[in-house]
Amino acid sequence: MTIIKLKNKYNYFDRVETRFGDNDIFGHVNNVIYYSIFDTVINRFLILKCGYNPLVSEVIGISPETRCIFRSSFKYPEKIIAGLSTKKIGETSVVYDISLFREDNDKALAEG
């Protein structure tokens, strides 16, 4: 049985608008864009909520492992609500949990 994540699982939200060039020839947001959105939301969280400054910090974030569970497509023009939480905080790493939602739907369309 597949469990779809819901908005109420998250405390931090960010809004990302799709861009015209995000759609592929099939008329939906291309799969590589989901990873770009994940990266944008995580880094914006670190900058806005954690005081991270990537221009001067000696610490950089890398993504040694990523995944995306695709459930349904977004398309341009559309506003995406991203829910973000930390799944695990270690000594030198953080595992993030992120899901992407439509404004009017509580079920995740993509999970990373």
Side-chain angles (χ1 to χ4, degrees):
M1 180 176 177
T2 303
I3 298 172
I4 299 173
K5 293 186 180 166
L6 301 175
K7 273 185 192 169
N8 65 6
K9 181 182 186 298
Y10 299 93
N11 292 320
Y12 176 81
F13 294 94
D14 199 352
R15 180 187 310 257
V16 179
E17 293 192 30
T18 58
R19 304 163 302 173
F20 179 76
D22 292 343
N23 278 11
D24 61 20
I25 196 168
F26 303 110
H28 67 272
V29 169
N30 188 272
N31 57 348
V32 72
I33 302 301
Y34 292 88
Y35 288 99
S36 178
I37 292 170
F38 294 161
D39 192 43
T40 296
V41 171
I42 291 167
N43 280 287
R44 198 156 44 198
F45 168 77
L46 292 172
I47 291 165
L48 297 175
K49 298 295 185 182
C50 301
Y52 178 65
N53 184 341
L55 301 176
V56 298
S57 179
E58 293 182 14
V59 176
I60 62 166
I62 60 168
S63 298
E65 181 180 342
T66 61
R67 69 173 172 84
C68 182
I69 299 171
F70 176 82
R71 304 213 182 271
S72 186
S73 183
F74 292 97
K75 58 180 131 180
Y76 174 83
E78 193 163 6
K79 291 179 177 77
I80 296 172
I81 304 299
L84 177 68
S85 68
T86 51
K87 194 171 188 177
K88 177 183 173 190
I89 300 175
E91 297 270 332
T92 61
S93 64
V94 178
V95 177
Y96 293 100
D97 175 24
I98 188 167
S99 290
L100 306 181
F101 304 91
R102 286 201 166 94
E103 287 187 307
D104 61 350
N105 193 331
D106 287 341
K107 293 182 182 177
L109 274 65
E111 301 168 19

